[in-house]
Amino acid sequence: MRLHTIDVAVIAVYLVCITLFGLRFRKSQRSLRDYFLADRNIPWWAIGLSIVAAETSTLTIISTPASSYAGNFGFLQVVFGYLLGRIIICLIFIPQYFRGEMFTAYELIDRRFGKTLHRVTASVFLITRAAAEGVRIFAISIVVGIALNLSDVYSIAIIMALTLIYTFEGGLAAVVWTDVVQMVIYVSGTVVGFITLTHLVPGGWGAIHAAAAQAGKLQVLDFSRDFFKTYTFWAGLIGGMFLTTASHGTDQLMVQRLLAARNERESKLALLSSGLVILLQFSLFLLVGAGLWVFYTRYAPHTQFASGDRVFPRFIVDYMPHGISGLLIAAILAAAMSNLSAALNSLSSTTMVDFYLRHRPDASNRSQMLFSRAATVVWGVVLFALAMVSRQSRNVLETGLALASVAYGGLLGVFLLGLLTKRARQTGAIAGMLCGLAVNAYIWKWTRIPWTWYVTLGTITTFVTGYLASLVQTDADPKQQS
């Protein structure tokens, strides 16, 4: 079953309008500060909503309902950790980022340790962010393929091309403000979808709540001490805290938004407010999943779902009224485009600031802008290719989080070595990071330990190994032992 012509028209209008809206910001891009920091002239509330949109991809919207559809509300325990991680970033990371003007998170590593570790951390970000983003972009094809019956290649190419146009022209200003619009669209669309769902189930919300509660779908807390269980209170709170501290404190995708705030206070306000929105947003997505479980319990699907990620998109196409289906598909694409634009801009800024300008610090302003835009295009091509490779993933939410988490432990451990200790040195920190990455890679591929613990274990390994390795060094480099 395919979408009605009305729904296709709604999607087409959205895609055209959001692209034109993003292009409105192209005239303000005159320097790297404009292109990568939006001239630090964006209000905190817009940055906060942009942070939420940047960590909400298509896979979040389709896989979070799948989580409660197959299980319960246990994922919220991870979100509680997200809130705690934001507090830590406000206390430790943001004050450091506002000491002087920075364009990327990894300039802080250069200041503390030196150029070698600076390049290592920036390289790890580029590789792992691109790999994880490839999985997220592939999620677009699940939705578009079901809705419009297009192949993976065409589905991803359309969204990639349109997002690349306004990101290429408008820089971070276009990214942030389109994020705000797209977040309003996908949250509103999800709310409409949930309301429609309550009308399709006899008895409405009361019946959904009663059936879901009886089946244990609404359970949030699980104080089990099973280390190999993905969603427990301890894994969620501790693992979610480490994950967010790494993703929002060391990942250029998020740090770039924090750096674009007008001052340190607004940066902190943006980050903390985004945490409250994230909590409400994930609660909404999980409610949708519980509602879908009740619906399909009463009205069994004609064919079994290939994976949980297809439940929500299939419901939208099969049961939503004309126009509403188009709105919901557009909402999901909005999340995809906001996340993709953020990735393109952050990958471009890291390539430009952490590598190109290190070799050509005296490049003219025109050359800097040309290279920045060229890097955006190149990364667009790379992400498209990686999305094609990612088609073997089963649960795209957990695959994407696992890929990012493998590297986050090493990155966070290095940043904490630099910020919390004075004896850590560059060679010791590099040794610690390599050990952290190796441990996380081993855990991911050859153990049953869930992804919620990856960043925690990787960070501890990196920090302890890096500190001990620094203690046994005999050389004393003033730059490294600040």
Side-chain angles (χ1 to χ4, degrees):
M1 184 176 179
R2 294 175 61 181
L3 286 177
H4 190 273
T5 304
I6 295 175
D7 299 306
V8 176
V10 170
I11 296 172
V13 168
Y14 157 73
L15 292 175
V16 171
C17 289
I18 198 65
T19 303
L20 293 176
F21 177 75
L23 287 173
R24 292 179 62 250
F25 300 92
R26 64 182 182 274
K27 294 182 180 179
S28 62
Q29 308 308 309
R30 296 180 297 272
S31 66
L32 288 188
R33 181 185 171 101
D34 295 328
Y35 197 67
F36 291 132
L37 296 181
D39 198 29
R40 284 189 162 173
N41 195 33
I42 298 180
W44 66 267
W45 59 267
I47 293 177
L49 295 180
S50 179
I51 289 172
V52 175
E55 60 185 308
T56 306
S57 62
T58 297
L59 65 86
T60 309
I61 295 180
I62 66 177
S63 284
T64 307
S67 176
S68 55
Y69 178 87
N72 53 34
F73 277 35
F75 189 83
L76 280 183
Q77 296 168 116
V78 180
V79 180
F80 298 154
Y82 290 175
L83 303 180
L84 190 56
R86 281 167 159 81
I87 296 174
I88 293 174
I89 294 169
C90 288
L91 294 175
I92 299 176
F93 286 82
I94 291 181
Q96 295 294 328
Y97 284 134
F98 277 84
R99 292 182 178 177
E101 180 168 277
M102 294 186 187
F103 286 86
T104 75
Y106 314 109
E107 291 178 275
L108 184 62
I109 295 297
D110 191 311
R111 179 189 297 174
R112 172 61 176 85
F113 288 112
K115 292 180 172 55
T116 301
L117 189 55
H118 178 187
R119 288 192 294 267
V120 170
T121 53
S123 297
V124 169
F125 162 74
L126 291 176
I127 295 169
T128 55
R129 169 50 57 191
E133 205 62 35
V135 177
R136 293 184 171 197
I137 296 170
F138 166 63
I140 300 171
S141 68
I142 296 177
V143 178
V144 179
I146 290 175
L148 303 179
N149 198 29
L150 293 176
S151 69
D152 294 343
V153 176
Y154 287 119
S155 301
I156 297 172
I158 292 171
I159 302 303
M160 177 68 74
L162 294 175
T163 308
L164 186 58
I165 289 172
Y166 72 75
T167 307
F168 175 89
E169 291 287 353
L172 186 65
V175 171
V176 170
W177 286 110
T178 53
D179 278 353
V180 173
V181 174
Q182 287 162 330
M183 187 200 154
V184 171
I185 292 173
Y186 76 70
V187 170
S188 300
T190 307
V191 170
V192 171
F194 181 71
I195 293 174
T196 305
L197 181 61
T198 61
H199 283 84
L200 292 175
V201 175
W205 164 244
I208 291 176
H209 181 274
Q214 185 177 9
K217 292 288 178 182
L218 304 183
Q219 178 184 346
V220 175
L221 300 177
D222 180 353
F223 292 99
S224 167
R225 296 181 181 179
D226 184 356
F227 187 72
F228 298 99
K229 192 172 184 179
T230 304
Y231 300 121
T232 66
F233 178 78
W234 314 109
L237 191 67
I238 299 173
M241 176 190 70
F242 272 89
L243 175 59
T244 291
T245 304
S247 64
H248 291 53
T250 71
D251 191 323
Q252 176 64 7
L253 185 103
M254 295 297 178
V255 174
Q256 188 171 3
R257 283 158 174 71
L258 300 178
L259 292 172
R262 292 167 177 166
N263 51 55
E264 180 181 332
R265 176 183 171 277
E266 291 206 4
S267 183
K268 292 178 179 178
L269 191 57
L271 184 61
L272 294 175
S273 63
S274 72
L276 299 178
V277 178
I278 278 291
L279 178 61
L280 295 175
Q281 177 180 277
F282 273 104
S283 299
L284 172 63
F285 293 154
L286 292 169
L287 277 173
V288 169
L292 289 170
W293 178 84
V294 175
F295 177 82
Y296 281 115
T297 299
R298 302 191 178 195
Y299 306 102
H302 298 299
T303 58
Q304 292 298 314
F305 298 108
S307 69
D309 300 320
R310 297 180 179 272
V311 176
F312 193 26
R314 186 79 261 171
F315 173 82
I316 293 171
V317 174
D318 289 345
Y319 293 99
M320 288 293 180
H322 298 322
I324 300 298
S325 294
L327 174 64
L328 278 165
I329 296 297
I332 294 175
L333 295 182
M337 294 177 74
S338 65
N339 195 267
L340 176 56
S341 64
L344 288 170
N345 198 257
S346 62
L347 289 167
S348 174
S349 63
T350 299
T351 303
M352 180 67 193
V353 175
D354 297 311
F355 291 96
Y356 179 79
L357 288 183
R358 296 292 159 178
H359 297 288
R360 295 195 58 188
D362 55 348
S364 66
N365 188 64
R366 183 173 180 275
S367 296
Q368 292 178 13
M369 292 300 296
L370 285 174
F371 187 88
S372 298
R373 288 191 164 102
T376 302
V377 174
V378 170
W379 280 113
V381 174
V382 171
L383 293 184
F384 178 83
L386 290 172
M388 294 295 98
V389 176
S390 303
R391 288 179 288 180
Q392 303 303 315
S393 301
R394 288 190 59 82
N395 184 301
V396 287
L397 176 63
E398 294 194 0
T399 301
L401 288 172
L403 280 170
S405 298
V406 166
Y408 279 156
L411 284 173
L412 180 57
V414 165
F415 272 81
L416 292 179
L417 275 171
L419 296 176
L420 301 181
T421 73
K422 293 185 177 180
R423 303 195 65 169
R425 303 181 183 182
Q426 181 168 244
T427 52
I430 292 175
M433 185 175 188
L434 292 176
C435 287
L437 291 173
V439 166
N440 270 157
Y442 175 79
I443 290 172
W444 178 40
K445 298 298 292 184
W446 290 289
T447 74
R448 295 189 300 111
I449 297 174
W451 66 265
T452 39
W453 288 110
Y454 290 176
V455 181
T456 304
L457 297 175
T459 300
I460 293 173
T461 300
T462 300
F463 189 91
V464 173
T465 305
Y467 190 77
L468 292 177
S470 297
L471 291 180
V472 300
Q473 284 183 248
T474 57
D475 60 304
D477 184 344
K479 172 70 175 178
Q480 299 172 4
Q481 195 175 12
S482 59

